[in-house]
Amino acid sequence: MKDTIRQLIQQALARLTEDGTLPSGLSPDIQVETTKDRAHGDYASNIALMLAKPAAMKPRDLAVKLQAALPAHPQVAKVEIAGPGFLNFFQDEAWLASSLDAALADAHLGVHKNGPQQRVVVDLSSPNLAKEMHVGHLRSTIIGDGVARVLEFLGDTVIRQNHVGDWGTQFGMLLAYLEEQAVDAQAELHDLEVFYRAAKKRFDESPEFADRARELVVKLQAGDPECMRLWKRFNDISLSHCQQVYDRLGVKLTMADVMGESAYNDDLPGVVADLTAKGLLVESDGAMCVFLDEFKNAEGNPLPVIVQKAGGGYLYATTDLAAMRYRHQKLHADRVLYFVDQRQALHFQQVFEVARRAGFVPASMDLEHMGFGTMNGADGRPFKTRDGGTVKLIDLLEEAEERAYALVKAKNPELDDAELRQIARAVGIGAVKYADLSKHRTSDYSFNFELMLSFEGNTAPYLLYAYTRVASIFRKLGKSFDEAGGRIALEQPQEQALAAQLAQFGDVLNNVALKGVPHILCAYLYELAGLFSSFYEHCPILAAETPQQQESRLKLAALAGRTLKQGLELLGLETLERM
Ligand code: ARG
């Protein structure tokens, strides 16, 4: 709908340019927003305020001209001017009702992508395998998975890439320790964090050990078979730990999505050679660097992007350059989304720019860093265990399920244990995921079990419960959502408000896909649940006045149910039929 209104405004602008009201050469970014209060229509645009100045007119006068120039459209019942010159669009109720009838009959709920379908690489999760996966990678995993699901729903081809840190100097240390301990049994590696700390301790206290570690890195990088064998075994164990977390979270990631740093090892000399050939490399203190004018430090000195160290070693940036080239040449990506901590923003700005200058990616390929804020504890301080250690994801998920179990059991003591466990899993894991997804991606966020498990507010338990209420209406009638017949007619204001919200599902998903911000889908579903509640309270279904009215209301309820379920599924939440 927003797109339709934008097109109508575009046509009105063209008319006004033709008749000389507006100067030619304007190409404004036309903003259309949904209104907060339905008394002001369904959608509003500030276009007259934006163009008043170049048109040398009062905003309201321009709004009057625009209103007159807008072509008629079956979806728009009327357009009004409000305040200083806003254009308010009122949706046609009959058209709205029939579009919802069509949405309910469609497996995709009438949702389409605005614009062409694309091949999108989603770079997500990407933990460092030397250590156990921790909360820092939780956000990337959950948010990346949510956005990937929305892109897929809109028809894009999504290629997930888990760019794990499986290469680099810390592996020398781990191999040295593995060798020294003659650790053979998998059991010893059961706790990677403990293993890593023990290795680090040896590294720090023994110069001989440290030398041996450095020797092993060189051997590893030269492809020594024994080193490779140990390294591979270590990574396999570490990856299987990650996979446990993904499965527990219900995140769509498998071993097939792993394309770690080591996979680009053989490409790195070529990256450096290509940068040299393009004349982009400068030697500085023995290191090979790219200097870009737009990146300077606080003192105004140029900041280098180092691609090869003085000793010949390659860096994180070099690997990312190789990965971009691969994503263009082999994966044929139109768009690459990087779900990585906001603190790496400079790194991505730099490598994107270097890749473009070097011609590793064409101008048509979009590179977007979808940065996110830090995850803190409930006290707003960095998330740590009581003794200051890093919190392991698997422990966190375990605790979420335990807490959810206690809550659900207190509410429904009569349920049998197997069902309680199943509900607790959906609620506990859902709560952890939803709490993360519902915050603005770029803000820091405080992890708080009490808040995320509350049955009130914008939380997973509230929404999962809202869905079960819709499901129970149909269960009582012995019907499924698809069996709602008849036609939707929008009589009461609560029906109209619910309908208008339902009609926005497609716009919301397109926005999530465009900006990589699942929190707007969360806000949408939360609002939808609220509108459904007031509809259900004011518009009796079973005690409807006529059979037609009952059919219409049931259809609205069915569409609300399907939209909630679909929306939650796109966020990666498992819905329950009762709880
Ligand atoms: N392993 C990195 C880290 O933990 C994240 C990698 C993100 N992806 C990338 N292409 N650089 O910081």
Side-chain angles (χ1 to χ4, degrees):
M1 183 70 188
K2 278 189 187 172
D3 243 25
T4 308
I5 295 176
R6 249 179 243 122
Q7 281 160 20
L8 295 177
I9 295 177
Q10 194 76 59
Q11 289 174 34
L13 292 176
R15 283 187 189 171
L16 293 185
T17 311
E18 221 160 87
D19 74 9
T21 310
L22 289 172
S24 54
L26 293 179
S27 56
D29 174 20
I30 302 171
Q31 313 267 356
V32 176
E33 301 298 336
T34 48
T35 54
K36 299 259 173 318
D37 176 357
R38 297 199 68 241
H40 299 144
D42 298 285
Y43 298 92
S45 178
N46 63 353
I47 188 73
L49 299 144
M50 271 176 69
L51 295 185
K53 201 155 185 194
M57 284 172 85
K58 288 204 187 99
R60 244 193 118 87
D61 295 345
L62 179 55
V64 173
K65 295 249 180 200
L66 275 166
Q67 186 191 27
L70 278 166
H73 193 276
Q75 282 175 256
V76 180
K78 62 174 174 176
V79 183
E80 283 180 356
I81 298 169
F86 288 104
L87 289 174
N88 289 346
F89 293 80
F90 291 74
Q91 198 155 204
D92 184 83
E93 301 287 2
W95 192 92
L96 173 62
S98 64
S99 79
L100 295 184
D101 281 331
L104 188 58
D106 177 16
H108 257 68
L109 295 165
V111 171
H112 300 285
K113 185 175 179 193
N114 298 338
Q117 254 111 34
Q118 293 179 304
R119 286 177 71 80
V120 187
V121 167
V122 175
D123 183 316
L124 77 167
S125 196
S126 312
N128 298 322
L129 297 190
K131 294 194 186 191
E132 188 116 9
M133 191 169 164
H134 61 89
V135 292
H137 296 103
L138 185 66
R139 298 206 76 188
S140 171
T141 307
I142 293 174
I143 301 174
D145 184 54
V147 173
R149 285 170 188 250
V150 171
L151 293 167
E152 278 166 339
F153 187 71
L154 292 174
D156 282 342
T157 302
V158 173
I159 307 157
R160 290 170 173 78
Q161 293 279 280
N162 194 353
H163 190 90
V164 297
D166 59 358
W167 201 239
T169 45
Q170 68 274 43
F171 283 93
M173 180 180 93
L174 297 169
L175 293 193
Y177 191 65
L178 208 56
E179 188 185 68
E180 185 178 271
Q181 300 292 303
V183 181
D184 228 20
Q186 198 142 317
E188 301 282 340
L189 275 170
H190 176 72
D191 194 325
L192 289 175
E193 207 56 45
V194 170
F195 187 82
Y196 181 85
R197 263 188 268 142
K200 180 88 172 59
K201 186 159 169 281
R202 286 289 293 134
F203 188 86
D204 291 339
E205 73 193 8
S206 156
E208 295 82 55
F209 182 91
D211 282 344
R212 180 71 186 137
R214 279 187 276 270
E215 233 170 77
L216 285 172
V217 180
V218 177
K219 278 179 90 178
L220 176 67
Q221 295 190 334
D224 174 83
E226 180 56 13
C227 283
M228 291 298 278
R229 190 186 68 83
L230 288 176
W231 168 78
K232 197 175 170 314
R233 195 167 68 97
F234 186 90
N235 281 337
D236 285 348
I237 295 170
S238 187
L239 278 172
S240 75
H241 285 212
C242 294
Q243 192 59 47
Q244 270 172 27
V245 173
Y246 300 146
D247 293 345
R248 186 86 177 253
L249 277 172
V251 157
K252 288 201 213 165
L253 269 178
T254 67
M255 292 291 192
D257 303 312
V258 174
M259 183 71 189
E261 294 185 13
S262 64
Y264 300 101
N265 198 37
D266 294 344
D267 301 341
L268 303 181
V271 166
V272 174
D274 284 355
L275 292 172
T276 309
K278 292 266 173 190
L280 287 164
L281 279 190
V282 175
E283 199 192 307
S284 169
D285 293 330
M288 301 306 279
C289 309
V290 185
F291 287 96
L292 299 170
D293 286 342
E294 51 272 61
F295 300 103
K296 300 223 161 64
N297 66 12
E299 287 82 50
N301 298 320
L303 277 175
V305 179
I306 308 174
V307 294
Q308 191 167 21
K309 289 191 274 193
Y314 301 102
L315 294 99
Y316 185 52
T318 328
T319 308
D320 259 324
L321 290 170
M324 275 184 263
R325 208 165 54 163
Y326 168 81
R327 290 165 185 188
H328 164 55
Q329 289 177 349
K330 296 275 158 41
L331 301 181
H332 308 291
D334 298 307
R335 200 180 169 203
V336 188
L337 310 181
Y338 292 81
F339 289 88
V340 188
D341 195 316
Q342 192 62 37
R343 287 173 289 191
Q344 294 191 26
L346 179 63
H347 163 78
F348 285 109
Q349 282 166 19
Q350 291 180 319
V351 293
F352 290 170
E353 190 51 37
V354 173
R356 295 218 185 273
R357 298 234 186 143
F360 291 164
V361 299
S364 60
M365 179 166 141
D366 288 323
L367 300 165
E368 301 166 50
H369 175 211
M370 298 286 176
F372 50 79
T374 310
M375 182 155 137
N376 292 322
D379 56 0
R381 317 262 307 260
F383 202 86
K384 292 266 146 71
T385 54
R386 245 176 244 122
D387 55 10
T390 39
V391 179
K392 278 191 222 159
L393 277 184
I394 208 85
D395 295 343
L396 196 79
L397 300 181
E398 189 66 44
E399 181 170 353
E401 282 190 34
E402 281 315 312
R403 285 179 181 245
Y405 179 83
L407 271 177
V408 178
K409 191 171 174 146
K411 274 191 194 280
N412 310 283
E414 76 288 353
L415 288 182
D416 68 66
D417 209 59
E419 190 166 2
L420 276 176
R421 284 280 162 208
Q422 191 215 341
I423 298 175
R425 196 188 63 225
V427 172
I429 300 294
V432 170
K433 295 177 82 171
Y434 192 85
D436 194 341
L437 290 162
S438 58
K439 309 292 179 315
H440 196 294
R441 173 163 57 71
T442 55
S443 351
D444 288 352
Y445 133 68
S446 292
F447 188 94
N448 185 326
F449 273 126
E450 268 91 52
L451 289 181
M452 69 178 68
L453 284 166
S454 163
F455 276 78
E456 269 149 56
N458 189 9
T459 64
Y462 172 82
L463 280 171
L464 292 175
Y465 183 68
Y467 173 72
T468 63
R469 282 186 61 198
V470 189
S472 84
I473 299 170
F474 286 81
R475 195 172 44 248
K476 277 182 204 140
L477 288 168
K479 280 191 178 188
S480 72
F481 292 152
D482 313 325
E483 288 170 279
R487 300 184 71 109
I488 293 178
L490 303 170
E491 294 158 354
Q492 299 298 317
Q494 291 85 1
E495 291 172 319
Q496 291 164 0
L498 176 62
Q501 179 79 0
L502 287 169
Q504 283 167 25
F505 191 45
D507 277 341
V508 169
L509 295 183
N510 271 287
N511 238 331
V512 173
L514 190 66
K515 302 185 191 137
V517 282
H519 76 275
I520 58 180
L521 175 55
C522 297
Y524 169 83
L525 295 175
Y526 178 54
E527 215 172 301
L528 175 61
L531 290 169
F532 179 79
S533 281
S534 54
F535 155 79
Y536 192 55
E537 207 173 295
H538 290 96
C539 307
I541 297 181
L542 298 181
E545 285 155 28
T546 63
Q548 287 81 357
Q549 193 183 59
Q550 181 172 64
E551 281 184 330
S552 165
R553 289 180 179 172
L554 261 181
K555 277 191 99 174
L556 272 177
L559 189 57
R562 278 189 55 198
T563 306
L564 276 172
K565 189 178 168 80
Q566 183 67 62
L568 289 167
E569 191 181 309
L570 291 175
L571 293 169
L573 267 69
E574 184 192 342
T575 48
L576 297 159
E577 294 305 307
R578 67 174 112 213
M579 66 189 267

Short mmCIF file of all heavy atoms in Angstrom, two decimals, residues 123 125-128 137 163-165 261 316 320 323 327 338-340 344 347-348, ligand 1:
data_model
loop_
_atom_site.label_atom_id
_atom_site.label_comp_id
_atom_site.label_asym_id
_atom_site.label_seq_id
_atom_site.Cartn_x
_atom_site.Cartn_y
_atom_site.Cartn_z
N ASP A 123 25.96 -13.10 6.20
CA ASP A 123 27.15 -13.49 6.99
C ASP A 123 26.72 -13.38 8.44
O ASP A 123 26.44 -12.29 8.94
CB ASP A 123 28.27 -12.49 6.63
CG ASP A 123 29.60 -12.78 7.30
OD1 ASP A 123 29.62 -13.08 8.51
OD2 ASP A 123 30.64 -12.66 6.61
N SER A 125 26.56 -15.26 12.65
CA SER A 125 27.09 -16.09 13.74
C SER A 125 28.62 -15.95 13.84
O SER A 125 29.11 -15.26 14.70
CB SER A 125 26.67 -17.56 13.59
OG SER A 125 26.88 -18.20 14.83
N SER A 126 29.33 -16.64 12.97
CA SER A 126 30.78 -16.48 12.83
C SER A 126 31.59 -16.41 14.12
O SER A 126 32.36 -15.47 14.32
CB SER A 126 31.06 -15.23 11.96
OG SER A 126 30.28 -15.25 10.80
N PRO A 127 31.43 -17.40 15.01
CA PRO A 127 32.24 -17.38 16.24
C PRO A 127 33.69 -17.74 15.95
O PRO A 127 34.02 -18.20 14.85
CB PRO A 127 31.59 -18.48 17.08
CG PRO A 127 31.02 -19.43 16.07
CD PRO A 127 30.57 -18.58 14.92
N ASN A 128 34.53 -17.51 16.93
CA ASN A 128 35.93 -17.92 16.81
C ASN A 128 36.06 -19.31 17.43
O ASN A 128 35.73 -19.51 18.59
CB ASN A 128 36.82 -16.90 17.51
CG ASN A 128 36.68 -15.54 16.83
OD1 ASN A 128 36.56 -15.47 15.60
ND2 ASN A 128 36.66 -14.49 17.61
N HIS A 137 28.18 -13.78 20.25
CA HIS A 137 27.76 -14.29 18.95
C HIS A 137 26.28 -14.64 18.90
O HIS A 137 25.76 -15.02 17.86
CB HIS A 137 28.63 -15.49 18.56
CG HIS A 137 30.07 -15.10 18.39
ND1 HIS A 137 31.02 -15.38 19.34
CD2 HIS A 137 30.68 -14.38 17.44
CE1 HIS A 137 32.17 -14.88 18.94
NE2 HIS A 137 32.00 -14.26 17.80
N HIS A 163 31.14 -17.37 8.79
CA HIS A 163 32.55 -17.01 8.58
C HIS A 163 33.32 -17.21 9.89
O HIS A 163 33.74 -16.26 10.53
CB HIS A 163 32.57 -15.53 8.13
CG HIS A 163 33.87 -15.00 7.63
ND1 HIS A 163 34.25 -15.03 6.31
CD2 HIS A 163 34.88 -14.36 8.27
CE1 HIS A 163 35.42 -14.44 6.16
NE2 HIS A 163 35.83 -14.02 7.35
N VAL A 164 33.44 -18.47 10.29
CA VAL A 164 34.04 -18.75 11.60
C VAL A 164 35.53 -18.42 11.63
O VAL A 164 36.23 -18.53 10.61
CB VAL A 164 33.83 -20.23 12.03
CG1 VAL A 164 32.34 -20.54 12.18
CG2 VAL A 164 34.47 -21.18 11.04
N GLY A 165 35.99 -18.00 12.79
CA GLY A 165 37.42 -17.73 12.97
C GLY A 165 38.12 -19.05 13.30
O GLY A 165 38.13 -19.47 14.44
N GLU A 261 37.42 -18.75 7.93
CA GLU A 261 38.58 -17.98 7.45
C GLU A 261 39.58 -18.87 6.73
O GLU A 261 40.16 -18.48 5.71
CB GLU A 261 39.24 -17.28 8.63
CG GLU A 261 38.36 -16.21 9.26
CD GLU A 261 39.09 -15.44 10.35
OE1 GLU A 261 40.32 -15.55 10.47
OE2 GLU A 261 38.40 -14.71 11.10
N TYR A 316 42.84 -10.40 9.36
CA TYR A 316 41.38 -10.47 9.29
C TYR A 316 40.86 -9.75 8.04
O TYR A 316 40.00 -10.28 7.32
CB TYR A 316 40.86 -9.80 10.58
CG TYR A 316 39.37 -9.83 10.81
CD1 TYR A 316 38.64 -11.01 10.75
CD2 TYR A 316 38.69 -8.65 11.16
CE1 TYR A 316 37.28 -11.02 11.02
CE2 TYR A 316 37.33 -8.65 11.42
CZ TYR A 316 36.62 -9.84 11.35
OH TYR A 316 35.28 -9.83 11.61
N ASP A 320 38.70 -11.05 4.70
CA ASP A 320 37.42 -10.47 4.29
C ASP A 320 37.45 -10.02 2.83
O ASP A 320 36.43 -10.11 2.13
CB ASP A 320 37.02 -9.31 5.22
CG ASP A 320 35.99 -9.78 6.25
OD1 ASP A 320 35.13 -10.61 5.89
OD2 ASP A 320 36.05 -9.32 7.40
N ALA A 323 37.00 -13.07 0.84
CA ALA A 323 35.61 -13.54 0.96
C ALA A 323 34.68 -12.73 0.08
O ALA A 323 33.76 -13.27 -0.55
CB ALA A 323 35.15 -13.47 2.42
N ARG A 327 32.35 -14.16 -2.84
CA ARG A 327 30.89 -13.96 -2.82
C ARG A 327 30.39 -13.35 -4.13
O ARG A 327 29.27 -13.59 -4.53
CB ARG A 327 30.51 -13.12 -1.59
CG ARG A 327 30.72 -13.91 -0.32
CD ARG A 327 30.73 -13.11 0.95
NE ARG A 327 31.05 -14.00 2.08
CZ ARG A 327 30.99 -13.65 3.35
NH1 ARG A 327 30.65 -12.40 3.68
NH2 ARG A 327 31.29 -14.52 4.29
N TYR A 338 26.27 -8.26 6.53
CA TYR A 338 27.19 -8.72 7.58
C TYR A 338 26.58 -8.42 8.94
O TYR A 338 26.49 -7.25 9.34
CB TYR A 338 28.51 -7.97 7.48
CG TYR A 338 29.32 -8.28 6.24
CD1 TYR A 338 29.04 -7.68 5.02
CD2 TYR A 338 30.38 -9.19 6.30
CE1 TYR A 338 29.78 -7.97 3.89
CE2 TYR A 338 31.14 -9.48 5.18
CZ TYR A 338 30.83 -8.87 3.98
OH TYR A 338 31.58 -9.16 2.86
N PHE A 339 26.17 -9.46 9.65
CA PHE A 339 25.65 -9.27 11.00
C PHE A 339 26.80 -9.42 11.98
O PHE A 339 27.14 -10.53 12.41
CB PHE A 339 24.51 -10.27 11.28
CG PHE A 339 23.28 -9.91 10.50
CD1 PHE A 339 23.09 -10.40 9.22
CD2 PHE A 339 22.35 -9.03 11.02
CE1 PHE A 339 21.99 -10.02 8.47
CE2 PHE A 339 21.25 -8.65 10.28
CZ PHE A 339 21.06 -9.14 9.01
N VAL A 340 27.43 -8.30 12.25
CA VAL A 340 28.64 -8.30 13.09
C VAL A 340 28.58 -7.09 14.03
O VAL A 340 28.09 -6.02 13.65
CB VAL A 340 29.92 -8.21 12.22
CG1 VAL A 340 31.17 -8.42 13.08
CG2 VAL A 340 29.91 -9.22 11.08
N GLN A 344 32.89 -3.26 14.94
CA GLN A 344 33.72 -3.53 13.75
C GLN A 344 33.32 -2.63 12.57
O GLN A 344 33.69 -2.90 11.42
CB GLN A 344 33.60 -5.01 13.36
CG GLN A 344 34.21 -5.92 14.43
CD GLN A 344 34.35 -7.37 13.97
OE1 GLN A 344 34.46 -7.65 12.78
NE2 GLN A 344 34.36 -8.28 14.93
N HIS A 347 36.20 -1.34 10.43
CA HIS A 347 36.78 -2.44 9.65
C HIS A 347 35.98 -2.65 8.35
O HIS A 347 36.56 -2.73 7.26
CB HIS A 347 36.80 -3.72 10.48
CG HIS A 347 36.98 -4.98 9.67
ND1 HIS A 347 38.20 -5.38 9.18
CD2 HIS A 347 36.07 -5.90 9.23
CE1 HIS A 347 38.03 -6.51 8.48
NE2 HIS A 347 36.75 -6.84 8.51
N PHE A 348 34.64 -2.71 8.49
CA PHE A 348 33.84 -2.97 7.30
C PHE A 348 33.84 -1.80 6.32
O PHE A 348 33.93 -2.01 5.12
CB PHE A 348 32.42 -3.42 7.68
CG PHE A 348 32.41 -4.83 8.17
CD1 PHE A 348 32.19 -5.13 9.51
CD2 PHE A 348 32.68 -5.88 7.30
CE1 PHE A 348 32.22 -6.45 9.97
CE2 PHE A 348 32.72 -7.20 7.74
CZ PHE A 348 32.49 -7.48 9.08
N1 ARG B 1 34.87 -14.07 13.90
C1 ARG B 1 34.60 -12.66 13.95
C2 ARG B 1 34.47 -12.19 15.40
O1 ARG B 1 34.11 -12.96 16.25
C3 ARG B 1 33.36 -12.26 13.21
C4 ARG B 1 33.39 -12.49 11.73
C5 ARG B 1 32.33 -11.72 11.03
N2 ARG B 1 32.32 -11.87 9.60
C6 ARG B 1 33.21 -11.37 8.76
N3 ARG B 1 33.07 -11.60 7.48
N4 ARG B 1 34.21 -10.63 9.17
O2 ARG B 1 34.72 -11.04 15.67
#
